Amino acid sequence: MTQRLTVPKTYKLFIGGAFPRSESGRTFEVRAPKGAFLANAAQASRKDARDAVGAAVGAVKTWSGATAYNRGQVLYRVAEVLEGRRGQFIDEIIAQTGLSQSTAAAEVDEAIDRWVWYAGWCDKFAQVTGNANPVAGPYFNLSVPEPTGVVAIIAPQDTALVGLVSAVAPALVAGNTVVVVASEAFPLSAISLAEVLATSDVPGGVVNILTGSPAEIAPWLAGHPDVHALDLVGAGGIDWVDLQVKAAETLTRVLPPEQGPDAATPSLQRISAFTEVKTVWHTKSLI
């Protein structure tokens, strides 16, 4: 009887709800801390970044048009599937980072908890960040938060999962769509997260995940006219000032890099950073 061969996993990109290889055909090796080969991951190119932005643009209407309650349900479903695949994520983090079982488990649990926390804000943040403004006259004056549009993100580069979740989830709450560049050193968990998203009722194109070099991909995202906000939370290791300059040419909102263990800590501010405030006037009834 012949010995059974294992089926190695192919880690591709996640664009528009599908899993394409890089259009360039390039891959890069992902290795364990001691040098053991783990997998080949797709190395995204400029064309892949453009395709991802196009997919995100196409999904804005569907995602932002969903009710806040429905977005919360969908995001909570993501957390449910993450919980069901908890063991897989723990094993991947251990393989990529060399962390202990308990530390890797703590990272996965924190990532799930943060996703649940943001899911709960979907139908609440508008009441907290919006306002009824006092005006002199027989009018209602309301400030209402609305999504910015397409958000490009450079995920934290020093964690496999929790940093990625912490950067992506808040952008989704208000109805934005996302193009995120995952950790270059630990990309495998990002594609496993993409598999979770693809089976959790998240519409195709709402989240697009690129693996490869942030230094190579980020300039194309920063200067893209269809990117409306740029989160550089994990871009501290590259020339992020130049990215700010590129983004300014298209009036793109920019969040600067964050360092240390508190980077992308869950907060209401990370949700409101990706919203625009619309002011509505309405006459009061005189009857």
Side-chain angles (χ1 to χ4, degrees):
M1 182 177 179
T2 58
Q3 183 177 2
R4 181 182 180 276
L5 299 177
T6 59
V7 181
K9 184 173 178 178
T10 302
Y11 290 85
K12 302 178 184 178
L13 307 175
F14 184 56
I15 299 175
F19 292 88
R21 292 179 172 84
S22 171
E23 62 82 28
S24 67
R26 298 180 303 169
T27 61
F28 65 100
E29 291 186 350
V30 181
R31 293 187 174 275
K34 294 184 179 180
F37 175 80
L38 296 177
N40 287 315
Q43 185 166 346
S45 66
R46 173 187 180 183
K47 177 64 164 53
D48 296 319
R50 290 171 57 192
D51 290 345
V53 172
V57 169
V60 167
K61 184 176 181 180
T62 298
W63 187 239
S64 64
T67 65
Y69 178 72
N70 180 246
R71 284 199 299 273
Q73 287 182 309
V74 172
L75 294 187
Y76 188 78
R77 175 60 182 162
V78 173
E80 288 180 331
V81 180
L82 275 171
E83 184 75 40
R85 296 176 62 166
R86 179 176 178 270
Q88 174 197 342
F89 281 97
I90 292 172
D91 291 343
E92 282 183 337
I93 290 173
I94 292 172
Q96 293 174 96
T97 66
L99 294 174
S100 66
Q101 175 82 18
S102 60
T103 303
E107 178 175 340
V108 174
D109 291 343
E110 180 65 19
I112 296 170
D113 291 348
R114 291 188 180 191
W115 200 283
V116 171
W117 191 83
Y118 278 117
W121 272 109
C122 287
D123 59 356
K124 302 175 183 67
F125 87 96
Q127 293 94 315
V128 177
T129 60
N131 196 37
N133 308 308
V135 294
Y139 306 99
F140 293 111
N141 181 264
L142 306 175
S143 295
V144 182
E146 294 189 335
T148 297
V150 176
V151 180
I153 301 171
I154 308 302
Q157 298 293 297
D158 55 355
T159 60
L161 182 63
V162 70
L164 179 68
V165 165
S166 301
V168 170
L172 300 176
V173 170
N176 298 293
T177 58
V178 166
V179 177
V180 59
V181 183
S183 169
E184 184 175 14
F186 313 126
L188 306 188
S189 298
I191 300 306
S192 292
L193 176 62
E195 295 171 354
V196 170
L197 296 170
T199 56
S200 301
D201 300 326
V202 179
V206 171
V207 180
N208 303 275
I209 299 177
L210 304 177
T211 54
S213 167
E216 177 184 352
I217 304 168
W220 304 116
L221 295 174
H224 199 295
D226 290 330
V227 170
H228 307 109
L230 182 64
D231 186 354
L232 300 178
V233 59
I238 60 179
D239 186 3
W240 61 272
V241 175
D242 184 57
L243 298 177
Q244 283 187 313
V245 173
K246 285 181 177 294
E249 295 175 359
T250 55
L251 304 180
T252 299
R253 180 177 306 179
V254 179
L255 272 65
E258 299 178 31
Q259 305 291 339
D262 294 330
T265 297
S267 68
L268 185 60
Q269 287 69 34
R270 290 200 68 82
I271 300 173
S272 59
F274 304 115
T275 61
E276 308 287 345
V277 177
K278 179 175 72 176
T279 301
V280 180
W281 291 76
H282 195 283
T283 56
K284 292 181 179 179
S285 173
L286 299 178
I287 300 176

